Amino acid sequence: MADSSIAARTPVGRRPARHVLRAVVVAYLFFLVAWPLYLVGRNAFADGLASFRAILTDPDVTHALQLTVVIAVVAVVINTVFGVGISMLLVRYDFPGKRALNALLDMPLSVSPIVVGLALILVYGGRDGWFGPTLEAAGFQIIFAVPGMVMATVFVALPLVIREVVPVLQEVGDEQEQAARSLGANAWQTFRRITLPSIKWGVIYGVVLSLARSLGEFGAVKVVSGNVLGDTRTATLVVEEKYLNFDKGGAYATAFLLALVAVACIIVVSVLRPKEER
Amino acid sequence: MSIEISHVGKRFADFVALDDVSLSIKAGRLTALLGPSGGGKSTLLRIIAGLERADTGRVEIDGVDATRLPPQQRNVGFVFQHYAAFKHLSVRRNVAFGLEIRKRSKEEIRRRVDELLALVHLGQFGDRLPTQLSGGQRQRMALARALAVEPTVLLLDEPFGALDAKVRKELRDWLRRLHDEVHVTTVFVTHDQEEALEVADEIVVINDGRVEQVGAPDDLYDRPANEFVMRFLGPVTQLGDQLVRPHDLQLTTDGGDGVPGRITRVTRIGFEIRVEVTTADGQPVTVTLTRNELLALGIGIGTDVRLRIAPNTPTPTLPPTPTLAPAH
């Protein structure tokens, strides 16, 4: 759609400029994204399926892949529930400190994941964290365990659902919700039957972006996981470890799997989406 | 089914939207809240619906104190200016919404929705999405949706404001006939005095957060309580220090009594001719005539005429107020 509207507005005389611009964009994306990703795929299949067979029969790697999926799914569920809730709060209600909260929500995008990891250790670290020893005494280990890894992943992917849902909520407005209330629906029925269906695509997009981001998280997870083989090592950590140990085939094969899931997510959504008229 | 509003006040930050409004709306009637934009009429309607909360005062619907009730417990039907159609639901599901919330049986919902769709002439459009309907159809769907829950009162907020002039006129007639059929206590907000005069049994003129006058359309038109109501309900012109409707003025060319003046302008708008007469004192006065009257008088620009207020017509003469000082 953007394409046709630009074409409609461009006078005939500017055609060459448009072709040049298009060529620049295509070349840029090719050298920055497509070519490197293609090479990952090619290297992964350099020995046929041997590298894949090797990593998929390695119990440590399969454990890492499972762990990655579990952490990503849990983090996405948490981020979706809180993301939709916070979006409603930001769009539908006025309260003091709203601007500050809004700015704070962008923090995870601007702070380096490794800083996130260190910050979490400072608060929840078992030995000298601010809150950690108390929790550990009560039997909850956060750092160097799955809960800490989930927290780190939730933190880095926090704004993605919110940033997708907020503009949709704003565009939809609250008249439909008011109409539902006047027809007898309570708050939950209004949300379930009216609000959620109208922000559905925003939520789905947010979920997909969060999932892709969560699967690929490296820095924050590396700091808080302790990177224990077969225990708290995730797929991204496997890629690093294999790469550093000159197991390039294994590294590329694992990297390819990670990229494949992310690309698949985005393809599925873009295939589904046009059917729904917004 | 009557609505009693007593001493209701509402402010948004520094802006006083409603200033100690008391009003009683009769059961079974079609009442218009009429006034300029920003005068508080929509706020009052939203307070009756529970979509807005009054700062002070009390709202009673059908004898029940509704001041603190949330909208879903008031059993009112509300129709919005921009339809507020549920975009992801078909026309049928839109209309059925209130009944589904009330957990009526499938059979009952189907029957009732069929009835309502027939009532609003949307029988064939049940399976369409709201985006596939025209503005007028969408608003009729919204009406059916509001009527589905058998509300004690039906509230319409500028219901025809977003529609073009022709559709607006059709829907206006249609609302009047619908009300004669359904008889539910109905309150609608409008800034269009013609709409109010044509459709309503009773008009409440609201301006600056206050009720200026309440009455039947004829009462308001013929006996306005103040200058504002007179000016808002129809065209006015000034002759000397009297405020007069232009169609209540007579022109004569054969001398006699009346204020002398000369025709300075003649404008034709469809069937109506607007004649501007400048009196000997230099005051411009507007008189409206039909085309035939103009031809019968045989007058045009430059003709000397005499102006007088038509006898035996309920021409309101306003008590002198500071703002009504003579213009010359």
Side-chain angles (χ1 to χ4, degrees):
Chain A
M1 199 195 123
D3 215 72
S4 66
S5 65
I6 290 168
R9 259 185 275 128
T10 311
V12 181
R14 292 237 208 100
R15 279 253 165 95
R18 205 170 83 214
H19 286 303
V20 170
L21 202 60
R22 189 181 289 173
V24 168
V25 170
V26 169
Y28 182 81
L29 287 176
F30 177 78
F31 285 109
L32 200 67
V33 182
W35 185 242
L37 267 180
Y38 166 74
L39 284 182
V40 169
R42 227 181 67 171
N43 275 296
F45 288 101
D47 311 323
L49 292 172
S51 305
F52 287 96
R53 209 169 292 131
I55 59 163
L56 290 177
T57 50
D58 180 344
D60 290 334
V61 176
T62 49
H63 178 269
L65 289 173
Q66 278 169 13
L67 185 63
T68 297
V69 171
V70 169
I71 288 173
V73 168
V74 173
V76 166
V77 169
I78 294 173
N79 270 336
T80 305
V81 173
F82 278 89
V84 172
I86 290 172
S87 304
M88 294 281 292
L89 192 68
L90 284 176
V91 178
R92 295 283 186 260
Y93 299 93
D94 258 320
F95 51 91
K98 183 164 152 176
R99 285 174 67 121
L101 178 68
N102 216 337
L104 199 66
L105 287 171
D106 278 333
M107 276 275 275
L109 284 182
S110 48
V111 173
S112 165
I114 210 149
V115 177
V116 174
L118 288 173
L120 286 177
I121 288 188
L122 282 176
V123 178
Y124 299 102
R127 228 174 312 156
D128 40 29
W130 175 78
F131 194 44
T134 325
L135 283 173
E136 208 141 289
F140 296 109
Q141 197 191 349
I142 305 284
I143 300 302
F144 305 134
V146 174
M149 297 161 77
V150 170
M151 281 170 76
T153 311
V154 167
F155 189 117
V156 297
L158 179 76
L160 297 173
V161 170
I162 298 169
R163 293 298 163 227
E164 287 293 319
V165 172
V166 161
V168 182
L169 267 179
Q170 277 165 343
E171 196 200 305
V172 171
D174 63 350
E175 269 207 342
Q176 291 184 52
E177 290 165 15
Q178 291 180 3
R181 297 303 287 269
S182 76
L183 288 167
N186 61 31
W188 171 249
Q189 286 168 323
T190 304
F191 176 75
R192 249 302 280 116
R193 286 165 175 260
I194 302 302
T195 313
L196 201 53
S198 39
I199 61 171
K200 184 171 70 181
W201 283 103
V203 174
I204 291 175
Y205 247 50
V207 164
V208 169
L209 286 177
S210 303
L211 186 64
R213 181 77 182 82
S214 304
L215 287 170
E217 177 45 30
F218 173 73
V221 167
K222 180 166 184 179
V223 176
V224 298
S225 71
N227 200 1
V228 181
L229 182 67
D231 185 17
T232 59
R233 180 172 293 174
T234 62
T236 47
L237 301 180
V238 165
V239 175
E240 188 209 23
E241 183 260 349
K242 293 221 181 276
Y243 187 79
L244 293 179
N245 290 334
F246 305 104
D247 178 5
K248 297 228 162 133
Y252 285 127
T254 316
F256 180 77
L257 287 179
L258 279 172
L260 195 67
V261 176
V263 171
C265 286
I266 287 166
I267 288 176
V268 165
V269 167
S270 38
V271 167
L272 283 179
R273 191 165 196 165
K275 286 182 193 162
E276 185 94 353
E277 216 168 315
R278 285 184 68 191
Chain B
M1 321 272 175
S2 62
I3 306 170
E4 290 293 332
I5 293 154
S6 34
H7 305 291
V8 163
K10 174 77 182 174
R11 41 171 66 232
F12 297 103
D14 291 340
F15 176 70
V16 179
L18 289 174
D19 183 13
D20 194 34
V21 169
S22 294
L23 179 64
S24 102
I25 292 169
K26 295 186 192 93
R29 308 287 289 276
L30 184 51
T31 304
L33 303 182
L34 175 68
S37 356
K41 55 195 191 311
S42 278
T43 307
L44 182 60
L45 195 77
R46 293 172 63 82
I47 286 174
I48 298 172
L51 297 173
E52 212 81 68
R53 184 163 277 194
D55 299 335
T56 56
R58 200 176 135 90
V59 177
E60 238 175 62
I61 300 173
D62 202 11
V64 179
D65 181 8
T67 318
R68 300 280 152 206
L69 279 185
Q72 69 265 29
Q73 287 170 24
R74 295 192 182 202
N75 201 34
V76 297
F78 201 96
V79 174
F80 296 80
Q81 179 177 4
H82 298 286
Y83 330 124
F86 302 143
K87 290 193 183 119
H88 60 289
L89 298 177
S90 67
V91 172
R92 289 196 73 87
R93 294 285 312 280
N94 262 277
V95 176
F97 187 87
L99 299 170
E100 286 177 7
I101 293 290
R102 283 165 176 72
K103 305 242 185 311
R104 299 288 165 79
S105 72
K106 280 231 171 65
E107 175 51 30
E108 189 193 336
I109 292 176
R110 199 187 54 77
R111 210 188 57 239
R112 185 102 182 91
V113 170
D114 281 340
E115 263 171 44
L116 283 159
L117 287 180
L119 184 72
V120 300
H121 309 301
L122 287 175
Q124 289 133 51
F125 298 99
D127 296 322
R128 295 213 188 167
L129 285 175
T131 45
Q132 295 166 311
L133 299 181
S134 71
Q137 290 170 332
R138 266 185 243 186
Q139 199 56 298
R140 297 208 304 265
M141 179 196 83
L143 248 159
R145 182 176 73 182
L147 287 172
V149 298
E150 288 168 355
T152 38
V153 292
L154 181 62
L155 307 171
L156 304 100
D157 189 4
E158 302 252 3
F160 313 131
L163 302 167
D164 62 58
K166 192 163 166 284
V167 180
R168 191 139 101 203
K169 204 147 171 42
E170 281 169 22
L171 272 189
R172 214 191 267 173
D173 296 345
W174 179 83
L175 176 69
R176 182 65 244 185
R177 285 200 304 272
L178 182 84
H179 185 264
D180 294 340
E181 255 174 76
V182 185
H183 283 307
V184 57
T185 308
T186 304
V187 184
F188 76 103
V189 160
T190 181
H191 61 257
D192 180 346
Q193 90 285 350
E194 199 186 309
E195 192 166 291
L197 288 170
E198 188 181 324
V199 177
D201 297 319
E202 186 155 80
I203 298 177
V204 179
V205 181
I206 296 181
N207 180 41
D208 264 345
R210 281 187 302 272
V211 174
E212 299 278 1
Q213 192 176 0
V214 183
D218 288 352
D219 275 352
L220 262 65
Y221 197 84
D222 296 339
R223 285 174 290 281
N226 56 38
E227 187 189 343
F228 175 82
V229 176
M230 174 136 185
R231 284 185 187 280
F232 198 78
L233 253 76
V236 288
T237 190
Q238 207 170 329
L239 179 63
D241 53 3
Q242 285 182 306
L243 216 52
V244 188
R245 301 241 182 257
H247 52 74
D248 285 337
L249 282 173
Q250 286 181 338
L251 288 180
T252 48
T253 49
D254 49 6
D257 55 351
V259 182
R262 177 170 290 174
I263 296 178
T264 44
R265 217 175 134 151
V266 178
T267 318
R268 179 168 174 190
I269 307 123
F271 62 87
E272 178 187 298
I273 315 272
R274 200 172 288 172
V275 179
E276 194 179 292
V277 178
T278 306
T279 63
D281 297 338
Q283 184 187 32
V285 182
T286 308
V287 182
T288 51
L289 303 170
T290 63
R291 198 173 61 95
N292 290 339
E293 283 169 344
L294 186 85
L295 291 175
L297 282 166
I299 51 175
I301 292 177
T303 313
D304 286 315
V305 291
R306 280 177 183 274
L307 280 166
R308 61 167 179 256
I309 296 170
N312 302 326
T313 46
T315 305
T317 306
L318 294 172
T321 61
T323 50
L324 216 79
H328 46 88

